[in-house]
Amino acid sequence: MDTLYAARVHGFAAPGLVNLTGLEGHEGLLSLLAVLGSSVSLVALVFAFITYSLFSDLRTISGTALINLLAALFMVQLLFVIGVGGVQDHDLCWSLALALHYMRLSVFCWLAAMTFDLYCCFRENVSLVAALPSPPALRQSFARLSLFAWGAPLLPTLAAGLLQMRPAAAGLSDPNCWFLDDVPAAATFAVPAAALLIADLAFLVRAAAVARAAVGLQLEQRVKAKMLRRRRLQLWLFFRLAAFLAVVSAVGVFGRLMHSQLLLAVFSVAAGLQGLVVALSVACSCRVLKLYTRPRRPPPAARPGALHKAPSAMHLLQCDASPV
């Protein structure tokens, strides 16, 4: 039975999907779910991308890093839906798998960059004295994060391409153009992704310790409770994103290495919906929704000789590293 997507879009049957899932008679449904889930995820990612590009309050270092993460995840979803059912041209299928390899690692790198920035923000805001970085320092900081997040995946991807070209891996065995062969998938994706996730967890634990120390410096109970709640929301958001992306990737990698029909079937559905889950997590928070409802008023002109109101302790300790 031809799959709905492979027969209509790619123009040929994908009998490997029956062996891939082991769910004979339902391969068309799995392909359809993967395509529909990816389509909804692409729309949700575009909405989140527009949201963080529209409001200047969200264009902080972490907000801009999140835009790049959304862009990388958008490319993952796009390449994922293109690769459903396989591609007739072997070289094109190989290129799609390699591009997916790079973009998936970029998503993990951007997440690691954001958790590192969150930790730095919490650490710098322990002091009650406001020390805002200058715009050149902000640009340099974001340039370093960009160099890491877009440049670090190049080396594992190059290694994956070289391993894929070895004689034992002359034929790409993945019928969906989602993964390279077993050795490149394990050595150049699973290992770097696991290292990045461990770094994420380490930064989150350190950020939680620093946030606890910062909250302890507050004297007012109302300010302390508000600050503690916000820090918990920020840490929980990053932990949810890291855990969800880790589970989806782990299911795909283990299904690929173990040739598990059930795991790859679960992965095809979960990977199609991961963009939707991430977009809803970062764009449907209270802070973001308030930006849509607040009135658009020009800032009042400062009167000559007027005194500016001193910022409160909560403002001095407020961290802009999280979208929540």
Side-chain angles (χ1 to χ4, degrees):
M1 175 181 174
D2 294 349
T3 66
L4 175 64
Y5 182 78
R8 295 289 183 253
V9 178
H10 290 259
F12 74 106
L17 188 59
V18 179
N19 298 328
L20 176 69
T21 63
L23 302 173
E24 187 175 359
H26 297 281
E27 65 276 2
L29 178 60
L30 287 174
S31 295
L32 181 61
L33 289 177
V35 173
L36 291 179
S38 296
S39 302
V40 175
S41 293
L42 289 173
V43 175
L45 288 170
V46 170
F47 168 74
F49 187 90
I50 293 175
T51 298
Y52 277 83
S53 302
L54 185 62
F55 298 106
S56 59
D57 293 350
L58 299 176
R59 289 197 294 269
T60 60
I61 291 182
S62 183
T64 309
L66 180 58
I67 291 177
N68 283 267
L69 185 146
L70 295 173
L73 192 56
F74 180 89
M75 291 303 302
V76 169
Q77 297 289 160
L78 184 61
L79 294 171
F80 177 82
V81 74
I82 293 174
V84 173
V87 179
Q88 287 179 322
D89 187 87
H90 176 271
D91 293 335
L92 180 58
C93 187
W94 186 88
S95 300
L96 285 173
L98 200 63
L100 259 174
H101 192 96
Y102 171 77
M103 298 310 302
R104 283 175 177 147
L105 287 177
S106 296
V107 170
F108 283 106
C109 286
W110 275 113
L111 186 60
M114 292 177 64
T115 54
F116 173 73
D117 182 67
L118 182 74
Y119 163 68
C120 292
C121 185
F122 284 4
R123 182 185 60 186
E124 293 169 359
N125 284 320
V126 171
S127 174
L128 289 175
V129 179
L132 298 179
S134 61
L138 290 175
R139 288 194 293 268
Q140 292 175 4
S141 177
F142 181 74
R144 289 192 293 268
L145 293 180
S146 299
L147 182 62
F148 164 75
W150 290 121
L154 289 175
L155 185 59
T157 304
L158 179 61
L162 295 176
L163 289 174
Q164 185 63 37
M165 289 189 296
R166 73 191 193 282
L172 190 66
S173 57
D174 186 2
N176 287 309
C177 304
W178 289 342
F179 291 100
L180 298 172
D181 281 341
D182 294 355
V183 174
T188 63
F189 176 74
V191 173
L196 290 169
L197 288 171
I198 293 174
D200 292 340
L201 183 60
F203 286 132
L204 289 177
V205 170
R206 297 178 68 181
V210 173
R212 183 177 181 181
V215 172
L217 296 175
Q218 304 303 308
L219 300 178
E220 299 182 17
Q221 290 298 324
R222 181 181 62 84
V223 174
K224 181 181 294 187
K226 185 176 181 180
M227 186 176 180
L228 181 62
R229 176 179 176 274
R230 184 172 180 83
R231 291 295 186 264
R232 286 177 176 175
L233 287 175
Q234 293 170 335
L235 293 169
W236 178 238
L237 171 65
F238 283 95
F239 179 79
R240 287 202 320 265
L241 293 180
F244 177 73
L245 293 174
V247 169
V248 174
S249 297
V251 170
V253 170
F254 280 112
R256 181 69 182 84
L257 298 179
M258 299 169 58
H259 302 282
S260 172
Q261 304 168 355
L262 179 60
L263 286 179
L264 287 173
V266 173
F267 170 76
S268 65
V269 178
L273 296 174
Q274 65 179 349
L276 175 64
V277 174
V278 172
L280 291 179
S281 299
V282 301
C284 292
S285 62
C286 295
R287 179 188 176 189
V288 175
L289 294 178
K290 285 180 181 179
L291 296 177
Y292 278 102
T293 58
R294 73 178 182 182
R296 296 287 181 174
R297 296 178 180 177
R303 298 188 305 272
L307 296 177
H308 295 282
K309 183 179 178 180
S312 62
M314 184 61 192
H315 176 73
L316 293 178
L317 290 173
Q318 187 61 44
C319 182
D320 64 352
S322 174
V324 297

